[in-house]
Amino acid sequence: MADYNFREIEKKWQAYWEKSQTFNAQPDPNKAKFYVLDMFPYPSGAGLHVGHPLGYIASDIVSRFKRLQGYNVLHPMGYDSFGLPAEQYAIQTGQHPALTTEENINRYTQQLKNIGFAFDWEKELRTSDPSYYKWTQWIFMQLFDSYYDKKEDKAKSVDELIEAFKTSGTASVQAICDDDTPSFSAEEWNNFSEKQQQEILLHYRLTYLAETTVNWCAELGTVLSNDEVKDGFSERGGHPVVRKKMMQWSMRITAYAERLLQGLEKLDWSEPIKEMQRNWIGKSLGAEMVFKVKGQDAHIKVFTTRIDTIYGVTYLALAPENELVEQLVTSEQENTVSDYIQTAKNRSERERMTDVKTISGAFTGSYAVNPFNQEEIPIWVADYVLAGYGTGAVMAVPAHDERDYNFAKHFGLEIRQVIEGNMEEGSFPGKGGTIMNSGFLTGLPMQEAMNSAISFLEEKQIGKGKIQYRMRDAIFTRQRYWGEPLPVYFKDGMPYLIDKKDLPLVLPEVDKYLPTEDGAPPLGRAKNWNYKTADGEYPLELSTMPGWAGSSWYFFRYMDPKNADELVDKDIQNYWEAVDLYIGGSEHATGHLLYSRFWTKFLYDRGLVNVEEPFKKMINQGMIQGRSNFVYRIKGTNQFVSYHLKGAHETTAMHVDVNMVYNDQLDLDQFRKWRNDLADATFILEEGKYICGAEVEKMSKSKYNIVNPDDVIERYGADTLRLYEMFLGPLEQFKPWNTNGIDGVFKFLKKLWRLYHDQDANPSVSDEAPSPEELKTLHKAIKKAEEDLKDYSFNTSVSNFMICVNELTALKCNKRAILEPLAVIISPYAPHIAEELWSLMGHKQSIVEASYPAFNPAFLVEDVHEYPVSINGKVRVKLPLSVSLSKEEIEALAMENEIVQRWLEGKTPKKVIVVPKKIVNIVL
RNA sequence: GCGGAUGUGGCGAAAUUGGUAGACGCACUAGACUUAGGAUCUAGCGCCGCGAGGCAUGGGGGUUCGAGUCCCUCCAUCCGCACCA
């Protein structure tokens, strides 16, 4: 005698799975593999809320389903445990971030285990664990020891580069390097000092130290990467960010720009995410060319995508930060220009970005020469030109570019049309027109004009066709404590890697987690933060790695997380290859997902892994928003009026904890106990209830709308939580958490439970043979469940199970032949109850060892369908027709029918359309 | 401004290639039962209409025997990028 006691059942099976290591995955060459991965969480102090598990539930369903289908499934979980919040907390409280992190992780793990995920906890990893970050540091070292060879289009060892320098200098080298990299002969190289050589190599290394313009956040005391800055403010904390030049480590991700772009084609990712990466990489085809400055030994390099409009150039514009400005400005213009630059600098980055309307600039007094027609054109400084893109200088064609047009108009500069078309106010003949007024380009269509202009440039050696990317190299250092130390020491001002045997370079203890008095990063406080070598003791790097370092390769480490000798065993990695299905939020589109692809390509180039892309297929689950509830206090009183009656009063809305509201009805007792001042609150009720208002907002403590999964589990059980999160709507959609309707799935589980029990609640299944009707119900469900999983429509799958159970309940079906496969197909969604029912039916093994029931279409065939027959699309009558008839037979049968005959009144139909299984339509 | 997505009952949402729109669930209504429960079962539930019937998938137009689905256009909401030369 037992009701559906989810508390007992769930505890029992979670303990069972843990004890028997049910989900431990080992490579097995006889089985096809499937690797399902979730984006691992940062363990924050707030714990999991109900939105976090959404993606994990989806991946868990897939992992269990694949397993039932006979795949060897890898489904791990771990923690991205380096990060700012733990450090901020440490600054406030003095508690070591490692301790805070440990506590948070324990809480997360407990919460995750309560939901009953099929994670292989043996594979758990933490990025802040020295045994893990040893290999993050090791990859950094590989990057430092590599350069990008253009000929072979891959990363190679710096040793090979040095070899080439020794024998032939830069002549034979085609490698990606900084713009200001010098050329030299073999002889020169061999005569360079150690320091000079190291300095040159830094121009080639895939991770390098260089003076870079960075996003500096003073409040956080650290630099931020482009994807951590939103509209001039830090993504975390919302502090102002300024541009600043600093010595920083960078990752030469730009070397991989083209491959990162091309690789997208082969990935099974959502189009929006791919598009976001394409925009971020920002490839544009064009030309780079040099303008000589009249009367001076100076050149201005510009990048343009419209070299075909070269005859329409009427001025050049330089970014205020461009170093040439100082050289070009004439004495008469000196004051004007320096004033302008000063104003431009004082305008914050943010202002400059938002305020795109204001047109400003200053004339330098110098002129450049257009090499195509020897025309002299003025050189201006303008802040609409960005220092960070292209060359920081543009050739302006006011007739065919809106910004150039506005600028020319504002300052009265010449506007010269060179593309045929209608030139009216605000209209710019653009792509596709024929070139006019343009010397040897006149009369050519755009593409041909571009080609011949580029040939001209290349002949004269003043320019070339060029591909420009918007993406910048990624800054790789943070002036923070709670991150991976860089395995680098400095000798003679030059960075050197520490010896591999000294890995991991463990994060040192510090007295405070703040910068030192003279502004060095927190590691400057560590005692003896030096590196001992045979020839002396040298200072170690004080910065640490950014948050994305550890998360850029963790998917490989899961395969072999305890390996002390390699980042991952080769054979093991060859077996699991890459992630088959990756589930996570779309907010990482340009950060984590791009960096991971970059590192994977690098590891591939250096022969460390056998795949070039880490995530074959990706699904982006939508965020679950909060749904806040409100009560309405009548002004100046302690009386609250129900939502629909509030119009009659002057009220102020007040957030109320959503955990004391059920279906928008407030629990008055709980409300009175909530806060002291509410103890004597009075209410104006509607129909005896207090109804709350509601609004969708972000989940946050201050809005009292956080729903903790533990509470839902306590009330309804983990299986209900899992089913309900899936039932809520399509996985990829953003949606508010709303418990209206959770009773529906809970009811479903109770009904399911009852199917396997008799009226006295004793387990009872019969061995009777199932009826065709019962078989049909079951096989409909099997088929639907399989189809829905293929396109990740978990929500309709849950509905489908409900229909199946309703039908079986109506049929009073308690037959083993139906109930066994039913438990199996439901088990990925509601694993605990399925296990329990499975064992009640006498199985000794876990349900995860079962196999997915085969769908048999034979059971779905009905003998007779009701076919609607319509005339010109209007449905008139339903006729019983056999499904086994051919299209022609159905047609004939419909036409012979008496009623149809009467409608036709002797008219001959134009055509008769038979839509299989749906309708017979007679067109007159 | 550019790019992407979405728009269906009171609510969450379904709807293979265009083929009986609103499955399933919530809420609601009526009834049954009962150890009175946040329980279970039965029936109803898009809108207008007593009814036959008519109207309905953001608005308008088009293709088609037939459009939520395809095409054009407009509107609204959300997301991403944003002076990228």
Side-chain angles (χ1 to χ4, degrees):
Chain A
M1 172 92 169
D3 272 334
Y4 169 44
N5 185 340
F6 55 84
R7 289 195 188 90
E8 216 169 84
I9 293 169
E10 290 174 1
K11 222 186 287 159
K12 171 177 161 191
W13 289 102
Q14 283 163 13
Y16 173 85
W17 295 326
E18 185 150 358
K19 195 180 121 242
S20 15
Q21 288 288 312
T22 309
F23 304 109
N24 185 260
Q26 297 303 328
D28 177 353
N30 300 316
K31 263 181 157 182
K33 65 94 193 184
F34 197 83
Y35 184 2
V36 202
L37 184 64
D38 298 285
M39 289 184 185
F40 63 168
Y42 173 79
S44 82
L48 284 176
H49 66 63
V50 104
H52 292 115
L54 181 71
Y56 307 156
I57 294 170
S59 69
D60 202 57
I61 290 168
V62 174
S63 84
R64 286 172 180 270
F65 174 75
K66 284 285 175 184
R67 200 183 158 125
L68 291 171
Q69 284 194 321
Y71 287 88
N72 189 16
V73 175
L74 177 60
H75 186 219
M77 179 48 74
Y79 299 98
D80 187 12
S81 47
F82 271 135
L84 272 176
E87 180 161 354
Q88 300 287 60
Y89 188 73
I91 291 169
Q92 286 159 23
T93 64
Q95 181 167 179
H96 197 288
L99 268 172
T100 319
T101 305
E102 174 80 24
E103 282 167 17
N104 292 348
I105 286 178
N106 290 340
R107 173 139 185 243
Y108 265 63
T109 306
Q110 195 46 55
Q111 286 186 297
L112 289 171
K113 286 189 174 171
N114 285 347
I115 303 172
F117 289 124
F119 291 134
D120 180 357
W121 286 105
E122 281 295 292
K123 303 269 194 297
E124 186 200 321
L125 56 80
R126 303 168 183 198
T127 55
S128 62
D129 193 313
S131 70
Y132 179 86
Y133 69 66
K134 171 182 178 179
W135 297 103
T136 311
Q137 291 171 331
W138 187 82
I139 294 171
F140 174 89
M141 290 167 71
Q142 302 305 305
L143 282 153
F144 186 83
D145 274 337
S146 300
Y147 76 106
Y148 199 89
D149 186 291
K150 281 201 231 175
K151 275 178 289 186
E152 290 182 41
D153 203 20
K154 65 181 256 195
K156 292 167 75 175
S157 166
V158 162
D159 291 341
E160 291 182 50
L161 184 67
I162 295 171
E163 231 17 76
F165 285 162
K166 273 186 192 159
T167 53
S168 49
T170 45
S172 67
V173 171
Q174 276 184 47
I176 290 189
C177 58
D178 298 328
D179 286 343
D180 55 348
T181 309
S183 300
F184 46 83
S185 66
E187 206 188 344
E188 283 174 297
W189 170 263
N190 293 324
N191 288 328
F192 284 147
S193 69
E194 160 80 14
K195 182 176 174 163
Q196 282 171 314
Q197 289 184 346
Q198 287 300 323
E199 208 161 355
I200 286 164
L201 290 176
L202 276 182
H203 291 281
Y204 291 89
R205 296 182 189 278
L206 289 185
T207 181
Y208 60 96
L209 189 63
E211 171 136 286
T212 328
T213 311
V214 297
N215 306 301
W216 174 256
C217 179
E219 308 286 316
L220 295 173
T222 189
V223 301
L224 297 170
S225 67
N226 288 339
D227 68 281
E228 289 168 321
V229 182
K230 292 262 176 288
D231 299 330
F233 286 92
S234 67
E235 196 179 29
R236 233 176 233 287
H239 306 296
V241 173
V242 293
R243 306 281 290 171
K244 188 177 165 184
K245 283 211 160 184
M246 283 177 81
M247 275 308 251
Q248 291 293 320
W249 285 95
S250 290
M251 287 278 162
R252 214 178 287 283
I253 188 172
T254 49
Y256 283 87
E258 188 60 32
R259 281 168 67 189
L260 288 169
L261 191 63
Q262 295 304 326
L264 288 173
E265 303 304 321
K266 285 172 274 166
L267 294 178
D268 189 2
W269 291 13
S270 76
E271 199 45 47
I273 297 281
K274 288 204 217 177
E275 195 59 30
M276 278 162 79
Q277 291 214 347
R278 278 187 209 110
N279 290 341
W280 188 261
I281 295 167
K283 181 183 184 175
S284 37
L285 291 162
E288 194 173 70
M289 69 172 288
V290 169
F291 285 81
K292 275 191 181 142
V293 178
K294 183 191 159 202
Q296 280 194 57
D297 183 25
H299 306 272
I300 299 173
K301 205 191 251 183
V302 301
F303 173 75
T304 176
T305 53
R306 296 301 304 275
I307 192 70
D308 54 316
T309 61
I310 182 71
Y311 284 87
V313 176
T314 54
Y315 68 98
L316 294 189
L318 304 184
E321 295 87 347
N322 195 312
E323 282 153 17
L324 281 170
V325 173
E326 211 177 315
Q327 189 188 338
L328 293 177
V329 67
T330 58
S331 47
E332 307 90 74
Q333 290 295 319
E334 207 174 328
N335 287 340
T336 326
V337 171
S338 67
D339 281 359
Y340 177 66
I341 291 176
Q342 212 42 54
T343 338
K345 263 194 190 146
N346 286 343
R347 278 176 85 191
S348 72
E349 193 71 11
R350 189 176 162 68
E351 261 180 88
R352 217 171 126 175
M353 277 197 292
T354 5
D355 179 23
V356 295
K357 294 261 149 51
T358 315
I359 296 159
S360 66
F363 177 44
T364 61
S366 293
Y367 290 84
V369 181
N370 183 340
F372 283 72
N373 57 9
Q374 308 311 317
E375 214 169 71
E376 291 174 9
I377 50 177
I379 305 171
W380 284 68
V381 184
D383 72 354
Y384 80 85
V385 182
L386 303 174
Y389 182 75
T391 60
V394 303
M395 52 172 245
V397 186
H400 304 293
D401 180 278
E402 193 174 346
R403 291 153 310 173
D404 296 346
Y405 177 85
N406 291 337
F407 191 85
K409 195 99 184 172
H410 189 263
F411 288 105
L413 298 164
E414 190 191 343
I415 298 168
R416 187 190 306 154
Q417 185 177 1
V418 290
I419 301 175
E420 285 176 13
N422 201 7
M423 269 293 281
E424 280 165 20
E425 189 72 25
S427 108
F428 305 91
K431 293 179 172 133
T434 306
I435 306 297
M436 60 190 259
N437 292 336
S438 294
F440 71 97
L441 301 177
T442 303
L444 295 177
M446 168 177 151
Q447 195 51 55
E448 280 179 41
M450 299 237 278
N451 294 342
S452 54
I454 289 172
S455 313
F456 177 86
L457 289 174
E458 284 171 354
E459 253 168 57
K460 300 258 169 184
Q461 300 200 340
I462 48 170
K464 56 180 197 257
K466 189 170 180 191
I467 297 164
Q468 185 73 41
Y469 298 95
R470 192 184 79 99
M471 184 169 65
R472 307 260 66 102
D473 279 344
I475 309 288
F476 197 66
T477 27
R478 300 290 182 270
Q479 288 64 41
R480 305 298 308 222
Y481 175 74
W482 191 231
E484 301 88 344
L486 288 131
V488 169
Y489 67 93
F490 288 90
K491 182 169 112 186
D492 199 10
M494 279 294 125
Y496 290 86
L497 295 177
I498 67 169
D499 197 293
K500 285 192 175 73
K501 70 173 167 36
D502 294 318
L503 290 178
L505 179 63
V506 178
L507 196 56
E509 294 302 318
V510 292
D511 56 342
K512 270 196 265 178
Y513 304 99
L514 288 167
T516 62
E517 276 66 35
D518 44 4
L523 289 194
R525 296 175 175 276
K527 289 196 189 93
N528 304 319
W529 189 237
N530 296 318
Y531 187 66
K532 288 190 191 72
T533 68
D535 61 344
E537 198 170 320
Y538 299 101
L540 282 158
E541 168 69 50
L542 298 180
S543 298
T544 52
M545 297 189 196
W548 56 268
S551 60
S552 295
W553 70 281
Y554 75 112
F555 35 89
F556 288 124
R557 188 64 179 176
Y558 273 137
M559 299 170 182
D560 190 15
K562 294 185 177 134
N563 195 328
D565 308 315
E566 279 176 284
L567 83 114
V568 55
D569 178 87
K570 273 219 129 147
D571 291 336
I572 295 179
Q573 191 273 320
N574 282 342
Y575 179 76
W576 295 113
E577 289 185 323
V579 177
D580 293 286
L581 175 66
Y582 196 35
I583 297 188
S586 55
E587 64 272 20
H588 300 104
T590 50
H592 163 62
L593 290 171
L594 205 55
Y595 298 132
S596 299
R597 294 183 59 219
F598 161 42
W599 278 31
T600 302
K601 284 180 190 299
F602 168 74
L603 293 172
Y604 173 81
D605 283 357
R606 297 307 313 272
L608 298 162
V609 299
N610 74 339
V611 288
E612 234 191 300
E613 287 287 347
F615 317 119
K616 288 185 202 164
K617 162 135 189 109
M618 184 166 55
I619 311 229
N620 305 108
Q621 94 270 19
M623 214 190 299
I624 293 198
Q625 295 141 311
R627 186 172 182 280
S628 313
N629 277 114
F630 296 89
V631 291
Y632 303 91
R633 186 199 293 261
I634 298 173
K635 274 194 178 158
T637 69
N638 205 11
Q639 188 171 42
F640 295 85
V641 57
S642 186
Y643 178 70
H644 297 103
L645 305 175
K646 75 184 167 80
H649 307 268
E650 209 177 308
T651 59
T652 40
M654 181 178 113
H655 274 98
V656 56
D657 194 327
V658 292
N659 294 297
M660 8 189 242
V661 178
Y662 309 112
N663 290 340
D664 285 342
Q665 187 186 340
L666 181 67
D667 184 317
L668 300 181
D669 288 336
Q670 281 190 48
F671 181 72
R672 287 199 192 92
K673 281 182 213 145
W674 190 34
R675 285 194 334 224
N676 285 338
D677 61 311
L678 301 172
D680 54 353
T682 55
F683 305 92
I684 302 178
L685 305 177
E686 49 184 304
E687 289 161 10
K689 300 169 183 171
Y690 190 98
I691 304 296
C692 297
E695 221 173 276
V696 173
E697 298 177 296
K698 220 184 142 175
M699 270 204 191
S700 95
K701 259 187 189 162
S702 64
K703 300 190 171 95
Y704 301 104
N705 60 2
I706 293 200
V707 183
N708 186 321
D710 300 344
D711 296 342
V712 180
I713 289 171
E714 173 56 29
R715 205 178 158 78
Y716 295 101
D719 284 340
T720 300
L721 174 76
R722 293 170 60 112
L723 279 166
Y724 189 59
E725 293 221 2
M726 292 299 102
F727 185 70
L728 215 48
L731 182 63
E732 311 207 48
Q733 205 166 294
F734 280 63
K735 54 209 165 234
W737 177 259
N738 181 355
T739 34
N740 294 353
I742 196 164
D743 289 321
V745 291
F746 187 51
K747 244 186 252 178
F748 156 73
L749 286 177
K750 285 195 279 193
K751 274 190 206 168
L752 177 72
W753 180 259
R754 263 181 258 129
L755 266 183
Y756 295 75
H757 292 80
D758 61 20
Q759 284 182 329
D760 304 319
N762 292 314
S764 148
V765 287
S766 100
D767 288 318
E768 241 179 285
S771 71
E773 224 177 345
E774 290 163 341
L775 281 165
K776 186 184 157 195
T777 298
L778 173 69
H779 282 268
K780 231 167 43 185
I782 294 173
K783 183 174 180 232
K784 268 291 270 170
E786 245 179 303
E787 280 172 0
D788 286 342
L789 248 152
K790 223 171 278 159
D791 45 335
Y792 307 98
S793 311
F794 303 101
N795 53 329
T796 53
S797 240
V798 178
S799 297
N800 173 47
F801 293 138
M802 290 180 178
I803 295 169
C804 181
V805 167
N806 284 347
E807 285 179 9
L808 292 177
T809 304
L811 291 168
K812 298 199 167 56
C813 172
N814 71 336
K815 293 169 188 158
R816 180 180 292 274
I818 302 293
L819 297 185
E820 276 189 354
L822 180 66
V824 174
I825 64 170
I826 289 178
S827 70
Y829 293 79
H832 308 89
I833 190 173
E835 285 274 20
E836 182 69 13
L837 294 171
W838 192 247
S839 86
L840 289 181
M841 283 186 288
H843 292 277
K844 293 283 171 278
Q845 278 192 312
S846 159
I847 197 166
V848 303
E849 309 296 341
S851 40
Y852 200 81
F855 164 65
N856 185 346
F859 294 125
L860 290 199
V861 174
E862 283 170 282
D863 291 334
V864 168
H865 274 295
E866 289 268 290
Y867 273 70
V869 176
S870 71
I871 303 237
N872 282 346
K874 301 270 181 191
V875 177
R876 303 296 177 93
V877 72
K878 287 182 179 176
L879 301 176
L881 297 171
S882 165
V883 83
S884 54
L885 294 181
S886 69
K887 188 183 156 178
E888 286 70 28
E889 286 168 318
I890 297 170
E891 227 174 79
L893 200 63
M895 298 290 289
E896 276 165 24
N897 183 276
E898 241 178 278
I899 309 169
V900 175
Q901 285 293 342
R902 233 177 297 140
W903 289 339
L904 290 173
E905 289 164 358
K907 281 177 260 177
T908 323
K910 273 195 217 144
K911 54 180 168 176
V912 178
I913 302 159
V914 179
V915 181
K917 290 189 192 172
K918 289 287 182 183
I919 194 165
V920 180
N921 188 27
I922 297 166
V923 182
L924 290 181

